[in-house]
Amino acid sequence: MKNYESMTDEMLALQYVGGDNRAFDELLTRNQKKLYDYIMFVVRDPELANDVFQETFVKVITRLQEGKYTDSGKFSFWLIRIAHNVIMDTFRLQKSVHIIEPTAGNDLSKLKSDSLMDLNRENEYVNAQVLRDVRHIMNSLPAPQREVVYMRYYQELSFKEIAEATGVSINTSLGRMRYALINMRRMAKQHEIQLNLEL
């Protein structure tokens, strides 16, 4: 009898491709909460989150069965990227989201992601206190900005990983973070909330 719990997600995915349905059950069990939390945070609607979650796993099953997954050691990023694409397709269909992107004249390539978000212990402590208020303010951000903030602060992904998961350039990810922080500071000022993120 196979010990599925000791297998990595990548091993389970390849076992499922080879016809082992129990391997997929273990993959689903491991990833469903993290994936659902991510989807729910972005769409903010339980009914829509359930639809997106189910559609995501339909696409995962289809792509696995079509042999479109190779063991790259990044199954969770592959899963998040599929969910991201389903969310964006859903928003496009609803035509309810206006995405603000950096302008051509706003060259964000000069920003260094490592120095921008390199936090030391003191900054981590300050940010932990601030994040409680930040989460409330984040709900008012456009979905692409809310998503990048969630991935950076709650999933602790690098901007390179965020760009890879969402299918955009690192500059776009940085731009979305920049606009998110500007918008959050504006909202915090309006509501007299002290936000002192140490960047």
Side-chain angles (χ1 to χ4, degrees):
M1 185 170 185
K2 293 178 182 172
N3 183 3
Y4 295 102
E5 292 177 8
S6 66
M7 293 183 183
T8 64
D9 285 355
E10 291 74 23
M11 291 167 67
L12 289 168
L14 295 174
Q15 286 286 318
Y16 174 68
V17 169
D20 187 345
N21 289 331
R22 289 192 59 209
F24 185 80
D25 293 342
E26 178 66 24
L27 262 181
L28 178 61
T29 300
R30 282 187 195 179
N31 290 284
Q32 62 185 358
K33 182 179 183 334
K34 182 178 179 182
L35 183 65
Y36 181 82
D37 288 349
Y38 162 71
I39 294 167
M40 182 61 188
F41 190 83
V42 176
V43 303
R44 296 183 299 169
D45 176 335
E47 189 175 324
L48 183 58
N50 284 327
D51 290 345
V52 169
F53 180 83
Q54 290 173 23
E55 178 68 19
T56 297
F57 266 98
V58 166
K59 286 185 182 292
V60 167
I61 290 168
T62 303
R63 290 181 187 179
L64 285 171
Q65 290 176 344
E66 291 173 349
K68 292 184 178 175
Y69 175 77
T70 55
D71 182 2
S72 62
K74 295 184 178 181
F75 181 82
S76 60
F77 293 135
W78 185 70
L79 194 61
I80 288 172
R81 181 158 188 171
I82 292 173
H84 167 81
N85 290 338
V86 171
I87 291 167
M88 292 301 110
D89 289 345
T90 301
F91 283 154
R92 280 187 206 104
L93 286 174
Q94 292 180 343
K95 296 182 180 178
S96 62
V97 172
H98 177 68
I99 300 172
I100 300 172
E101 298 291 353
T103 61
N106 186 2
D107 183 8
L108 298 174
S109 63
K110 294 181 176 129
L111 292 175
K112 295 189 174 165
S113 61
D114 290 340
S115 62
L116 180 66
M117 301 306 290
D118 191 19
L119 303 175
N120 61 31
R121 287 261 188 232
E122 182 179 328
N123 291 348
E124 287 176 11
Y125 176 75
V126 170
N127 287 350
Q129 293 176 351
V130 171
L131 286 176
R132 286 190 294 272
D133 290 331
V134 169
R135 191 171 185 115
H136 296 295
I137 293 174
M138 282 168 51
N139 286 330
S140 301
L141 293 172
Q145 293 174 21
R146 190 168 61 248
E147 180 179 43
V148 75
V149 172
Y150 181 81
M151 288 176 146
R152 179 66 189 124
Y153 285 107
Y154 292 91
Q155 293 184 324
E156 299 181 351
L157 300 180
S158 69
F159 282 106
K160 182 180 178 186
E161 291 167 332
I162 293 168
E164 186 178 308
T166 58
V168 299
S169 69
I170 292 177
N171 284 350
T172 299
S173 295
L174 285 165
R176 288 177 178 173
M177 176 62 85
R178 179 176 175 262
Y179 288 119
L181 293 175
I182 289 168
N183 287 333
M184 287 164 61
R185 286 183 176 127
R186 178 181 46 79
M187 287 184 275
K189 188 174 181 181
Q190 288 172 350
H191 298 288
E192 298 181 356
I193 297 172
Q194 290 297 320
L195 290 185
N196 294 313
L197 286 174
E198 299 295 331
L199 298 180

